[in-house]
Amino acid sequence: MNIQPTYSSLDYPGKMALVLFTPGCDLRCKYCHNPQLLKNQELTKWDIEEIEEEVESNMDFIDAIVLSGGEPLLHVDEIKNFIKQAKDSDLLVKLDTNGLHPKQTKEIIKDIDYVAMDIKAPLDKYYKISDVYPNNTKELITETINIINDNNVFLECRTTYVPKLLEPEDIAELTKNLNCDRYTLQQFRNRVTLDANLSNFEEPNPESLKTILENLETNIPEIRLKSRQFGNQLIKSN
Ligand code: SF4
């Protein structure tokens, strides 16, 4: 199967979810923890039927499906099948996206309950994280955020903090005028990384990440930190 289904109580806060990891992505983040998913592959009719059966037979145990990857919006026509099945069954739907696909976001946003979107770096500094990114990254991500907000869908923005690739000033810059409901800074983990050199980087100390977040000047209502040591921590809320 070209989609990896996994059950998780962490990917949709407070809910038990079936997470669907779809193949392919248009970025190459140096810290990517799912490098096996970066090669794009077609989702076949068989993939779709298998997942639909998986959802059907576990309907009583899950509250939600999470469309993740890779970048799920590379397969927007196929994932519409899962979204329809979830909505017909009163399940919630969360989308994890890199924010580079506003057109596809617009096609499905009315049926999405929660979006978690990566903001890798200040929008004009994606070169710090990925060797590959569209020239109009800033415009694409801004448009995606506007579509999500115009549809009143809960938006969490997330950044993975990798020392040597990002500075505290980058987090201050990218959150300054970010229009989202929740911002989460994620501690870099050095176990599996696309760029093997990053496995020699130390994982940042959660206390130093907390200090970065406490010093932010932003109107985002909720600020969180995700770390191996302390799990998902609320740092600030309005
Ligand atoms: S956007 Fe996600 S899946 Fe794509 S390369 Fe970056 S970390 Fe990996």
Side-chain angles (χ1 to χ4, degrees), residues 25 27-29 31-32 38 69-70 98 118 120:
C25 186
L27 292 178
R28 290 290 178 272
C29 304
Y31 57 73
C32 183
L38 295 185
N98 61 24
D118 294 342
K120 306 287 182 187

PDB file of all heavy atoms in Angstrom, residues 25 27-29 31-32 38 69-70 98 118 120, ligand 1:
ATOM      1  N   CYS A  25       6.394  14.808  -1.438  1.00  0.00           N
ATOM      2  CA  CYS A  25       6.417  16.141  -0.846  1.00  0.00           C
ATOM      3  C   CYS A  25       7.212  17.049  -1.766  1.00  0.00           C
ATOM      4  O   CYS A  25       8.138  16.596  -2.447  1.00  0.00           O
ATOM      5  CB  CYS A  25       7.066  16.118   0.539  1.00  0.00           C
ATOM      6  SG  CYS A  25       6.951  17.731   1.360  1.00  0.00           S
ATOM      7  N   LEU A  27       8.882  19.686  -0.642  1.00  0.00           N
ATOM      8  CA  LEU A  27      10.039  20.228   0.077  1.00  0.00           C
ATOM      9  C   LEU A  27      11.031  19.097   0.358  1.00  0.00           C
ATOM     10  O   LEU A  27      10.706  17.913   0.195  1.00  0.00           O
ATOM     11  CB  LEU A  27       9.599  20.875   1.385  1.00  0.00           C
ATOM     12  CG  LEU A  27       8.761  22.160   1.267  1.00  0.00           C
ATOM     13  CD1 LEU A  27       8.353  22.653   2.647  1.00  0.00           C
ATOM     14  CD2 LEU A  27       9.523  23.256   0.522  1.00  0.00           C
ATOM     15  N   ARG A  28      12.205  19.468   0.792  1.00  0.00           N
ATOM     16  CA  ARG A  28      13.228  18.489   1.209  1.00  0.00           C
ATOM     17  C   ARG A  28      13.853  19.021   2.492  1.00  0.00           C
ATOM     18  O   ARG A  28      15.040  19.382   2.511  1.00  0.00           O
ATOM     19  CB  ARG A  28      14.294  18.300   0.110  1.00  0.00           C
ATOM     20  CG  ARG A  28      13.809  17.585  -1.141  1.00  0.00           C
ATOM     21  CD  ARG A  28      13.525  16.096  -0.849  1.00  0.00           C
ATOM     22  NE  ARG A  28      13.020  15.364  -2.009  1.00  0.00           N
ATOM     23  CZ  ARG A  28      11.725  15.266  -2.336  1.00  0.00           C
ATOM     24  NH1 ARG A  28      10.806  15.869  -1.628  1.00  0.00           N
ATOM     25  NH2 ARG A  28      11.353  14.554  -3.378  1.00  0.00           N
ATOM     26  N   CYS A  29      13.056  19.079   3.554  1.00  0.00           N
ATOM     27  CA  CYS A  29      13.562  19.616   4.824  1.00  0.00           C
ATOM     28  C   CYS A  29      14.715  18.743   5.309  1.00  0.00           C
ATOM     29  O   CYS A  29      14.592  17.512   5.346  1.00  0.00           O
ATOM     30  CB  CYS A  29      12.450  19.643   5.859  1.00  0.00           C
ATOM     31  SG  CYS A  29      11.005  20.559   5.317  1.00  0.00           S
ATOM     32  N   TYR A  31      15.751  18.116   8.140  1.00  0.00           N
ATOM     33  CA  TYR A  31      15.456  17.314   9.322  1.00  0.00           C
ATOM     34  C   TYR A  31      14.319  16.318   9.105  1.00  0.00           C
ATOM     35  O   TYR A  31      13.882  15.674  10.053  1.00  0.00           O
ATOM     36  CB  TYR A  31      15.090  18.215  10.510  1.00  0.00           C
ATOM     37  CG  TYR A  31      13.923  19.130  10.253  1.00  0.00           C
ATOM     38  CD1 TYR A  31      12.617  18.654  10.198  1.00  0.00           C
ATOM     39  CD2 TYR A  31      14.128  20.488  10.043  1.00  0.00           C
ATOM     40  CE1 TYR A  31      11.559  19.491   9.955  1.00  0.00           C
ATOM     41  CE2 TYR A  31      13.069  21.336   9.800  1.00  0.00           C
ATOM     42  CZ  TYR A  31      11.786  20.831   9.766  1.00  0.00           C
ATOM     43  OH  TYR A  31      10.728  21.666   9.514  1.00  0.00           O
ATOM     44  N   CYS A  32      13.813  16.194   7.882  1.00  0.00           N
ATOM     45  CA  CYS A  32      12.617  15.379   7.641  1.00  0.00           C
ATOM     46  C   CYS A  32      12.754  14.002   8.306  1.00  0.00           C
ATOM     47  O   CYS A  32      13.717  13.280   8.077  1.00  0.00           O
ATOM     48  CB  CYS A  32      12.376  15.213   6.141  1.00  0.00           C
ATOM     49  SG  CYS A  32      10.857  14.302   5.793  1.00  0.00           S
ATOM     50  N   LEU A  38       9.227  10.619   0.834  1.00  0.00           N
ATOM     51  CA  LEU A  38       9.430  11.761  -0.063  1.00  0.00           C
ATOM     52  C   LEU A  38       9.251  11.412  -1.546  1.00  0.00           C
ATOM     53  O   LEU A  38       8.968  12.273  -2.356  1.00  0.00           O
ATOM     54  CB  LEU A  38      10.797  12.392   0.178  1.00  0.00           C
ATOM     55  CG  LEU A  38      10.934  13.018   1.571  1.00  0.00           C
ATOM     56  CD1 LEU A  38      12.252  13.735   1.712  1.00  0.00           C
ATOM     57  CD2 LEU A  38       9.779  13.970   1.861  1.00  0.00           C
ATOM     58  N   GLY A  69       1.610  13.343   5.884  1.00  0.00           N
ATOM     59  CA  GLY A  69       2.519  12.836   4.861  1.00  0.00           C
ATOM     60  C   GLY A  69       3.968  12.951   5.290  1.00  0.00           C
ATOM     61  O   GLY A  69       4.257  12.961   6.488  1.00  0.00           O
ATOM     62  N   GLY A  70       4.825  13.251   4.281  1.00  0.00           N
ATOM     63  CA  GLY A  70       4.539  13.724   2.948  1.00  0.00           C
ATOM     64  C   GLY A  70       3.608  14.950   2.936  1.00  0.00           C
ATOM     65  O   GLY A  70       3.350  15.567   3.934  1.00  0.00           O
ATOM     66  N   ASN A  98       2.138  21.475   4.296  1.00  0.00           N
ATOM     67  CA  ASN A  98       3.268  22.414   4.275  1.00  0.00           C
ATOM     68  C   ASN A  98       2.838  23.800   3.786  1.00  0.00           C
ATOM     69  O   ASN A  98       3.671  24.705   3.687  1.00  0.00           O
ATOM     70  CB  ASN A  98       4.430  21.861   3.436  1.00  0.00           C
ATOM     71  CG  ASN A  98       4.059  21.620   1.984  1.00  0.00           C
ATOM     72  OD1 ASN A  98       3.141  22.225   1.455  1.00  0.00           O
ATOM     73  ND2 ASN A  98       4.787  20.727   1.321  1.00  0.00           N
ATOM     74  N   ASP A 118       2.896  23.688   8.675  1.00  0.00           N
ATOM     75  CA  ASP A 118       4.295  23.968   9.007  1.00  0.00           C
ATOM     76  C   ASP A 118       4.693  25.344   8.493  1.00  0.00           C
ATOM     77  O   ASP A 118       4.434  25.675   7.332  1.00  0.00           O
ATOM     78  CB  ASP A 118       5.221  22.939   8.346  1.00  0.00           C
ATOM     79  CG  ASP A 118       5.026  21.552   8.906  1.00  0.00           C
ATOM     80  OD1 ASP A 118       4.455  21.422   9.996  1.00  0.00           O
ATOM     81  OD2 ASP A 118       5.458  20.594   8.232  1.00  0.00           O
ATOM     82  N   LYS A 120       8.212  26.712   8.195  1.00  0.00           N
ATOM     83  CA  LYS A 120       9.556  26.148   8.391  1.00  0.00           C
ATOM     84  C   LYS A 120      10.567  27.177   8.890  1.00  0.00           C
ATOM     85  O   LYS A 120      11.538  26.828   9.555  1.00  0.00           O
ATOM     86  CB  LYS A 120      10.084  25.576   7.065  1.00  0.00           C
ATOM     87  CG  LYS A 120       9.155  24.574   6.403  1.00  0.00           C
ATOM     88  CD  LYS A 120       9.176  23.288   7.156  1.00  0.00           C
ATOM     89  CE  LYS A 120       8.299  22.238   6.520  1.00  0.00           C
ATOM     90  NZ  LYS A 120       8.215  21.051   7.373  1.00  0.00           N
TER      91      LYS A 120
HETATM   92  S1  SF4 B   1       7.368  19.209   4.580  1.00  0.00           S
HETATM   93 FE1  SF4 B   1       7.333  17.486   6.030  1.00  0.00          FE
HETATM   94  S2  SF4 B   1       7.307  15.641   4.740  1.00  0.00           S
HETATM   95 FE2  SF4 B   1       7.953  17.374   3.441  1.00  0.00          FE
HETATM   96  S3  SF4 B   1      10.186  17.305   3.490  1.00  0.00           S
HETATM   97 FE3  SF4 B   1       9.504  18.736   5.070  1.00  0.00          FE
HETATM   98  S4  SF4 B   1       9.361  17.531   6.968  1.00  0.00           S
HETATM   99 FE4  SF4 B   1       9.463  16.069   5.234  1.00  0.00          FE
END
